[in-house]
Amino acid sequence: MKIVFMGTPDFAVKALEALYQKHEIVCVYTRAPQEAGRGKKLTKSPVHVFAEEHGIEVRTPKSLRNAQEQEMFRNLQADISVVAAYGLILPKEVIEAFPMGCVNIHGSLLPRWRGAAPIQRAIEAGDKESGITIMKMVEQLDAGDMLLKGVVPITLDTTGETLHDAMAEMGAKLILEALDNWQNLKAVPQDESLVTYAAKIDKAESHLDFSEKAEVLERKIRAFNPYPAVYFEYEGERYKILRAKVVDGNGTVGEILQGSERLVIACGDKALEVVEIQRQGKKKMPIEECLRGMQFVGKVA
């Protein structure tokens, strides 16, 4: 099968790799190189790097809305386009450019968690499971008919990173399964009454609000680990919390209930005990290692 692949981050690479091994990838579309790091060096996306390493043509248009770009897209004469976390809106002319249309590898069990951050929002909300939906693409965001689903459980150990990695593996498996069984797939419309939206993560959300319940903050810590990671401030320094657990404790919001052998911080309900931490400009470490050189007293902000 001749495929145009459209994707950008690590999440999409697993699917591209799987498709490359079984099908003909005629072209890869990905986001243009972005400035990264202190030197603001232009850095190619993970999908871009994989495609170049395997001799696949790469295109990085800033938009797909102009007629010339759409004509170039059609001229590829592929059977289908597979999309995974591409990052650009696809107009109708692109979606309908191929005989088999465009299919999307979406990181949630649609119609729950349409939108930009389905992996993190599922953990943050306390969902017991998430997964992958292979869906037909339409102009409306993540609203197309569903073709195939796979479930990934969410446990008390699940983080944004571990769920991302499990989803990437499952997405690769399911897209191959979908293409292998294309003629037998049944397109199922989404129930609009069950739709929820996974809003893009705002940087301001990373600053912990200890007036919230400890269990809410613990889920957020796991959801945002490793990126963007949540933090608190203490004596002018920023500390990222990478793992924590809910414990009994009463005090004013942000009060350090214990800060020498353990780090326990009072929340709106119960308290958080920090398990893994990262000081500003340092590597992540177990809290015991951090507390060997300092102790926390008073309150955090």
Side-chain angles (χ1 to χ4, degrees), residues 28 32 58 60 95 100 103 115 121 129 132 145 148 155 159 162 173 197 206 220 225 228 273 275 294-295:
V28 160
V58 179
T60 59
I95 293 172
M100 295 169 63
V103 293
R121 298 306 182 192
E129 63 182 23
I132 291 289
D145 289 351
L148 203 58
T155 71
T159 66
T162 61
K173 173 179 174 290
Y197 285 96
S206 295
K220 188 171 188 176
N225 178 357
E273 180 175 350
V275 175
M294 66 173 296
Q295 64 176 350

Side-chain angles (χ1 to χ4, degrees), residues 110-264:
L110 290 171
R112 186 163 178 79
W113 302 126
R114 293 179 183 176
I119 292 174
Q120 293 87 351
R121 298 306 182 192
I123 299 172
E124 187 181 19
D127 291 2
K128 301 301 182 185
E129 63 182 23
S130 189
I132 291 289
T133 304
I134 306 296
M135 53 163 280
K136 286 187 172 182
M137 294 194 70
V138 293
E139 286 188 276
Q140 185 182 348
L141 178 68
D142 299 332
D145 289 351
M146 302 174 293
L147 300 173
L148 203 58
K149 285 187 176 183
V151 175
V152 178
I154 297 176
T155 71
L156 292 176
D157 295 322
T158 300
T159 66
E161 181 175 41
T162 61
L163 186 55
H164 168 280
D165 292 349
M167 294 269 211
E169 293 283 353
M170 178 166 283
K173 173 179 174 290
L174 288 186
I175 191 59
L176 290 182
E177 184 179 335
L179 297 183
D180 286 346
N181 297 283
W182 188 259
Q183 300 301 326
N184 299 318
L185 294 178
K186 181 181 179 182
V188 179
Q190 296 185 41
D191 185 342
E192 293 293 326
S193 70
L194 300 177
V195 170
T196 60
Y197 285 96
K200 183 178 179 180
I201 296 171
D202 190 296
K203 287 184 179 180
E205 293 182 74
S206 295
H207 194 168
L208 283 185
D209 179 359
F210 285 98
S211 67
E212 294 191 76
K213 294 181 179 180
E215 65 179 42
V216 172
L217 295 182
E218 188 275 334
R219 293 198 303 263
K220 188 171 188 176
I221 289 165
R222 286 189 289 114
F224 288 20
N225 178 357
Y227 181 83
V230 299
Y231 69 91
F232 64 84
E233 293 181 349
Y234 176 75
E235 294 187 346
E237 187 175 346
R238 183 174 292 189
Y239 293 79
K240 292 180 179 179
I241 303 179
L242 301 174
R243 285 193 298 139
K245 59 184 179 182
V246 178
V247 295
D248 289 330
N250 294 303
T252 60
V253 169
E255 181 184 352
I256 298 166
L257 303 179
Q258 295 188 50
S260 54
E261 296 180 357
R262 301 162 62 206
L263 177 54
V264 180

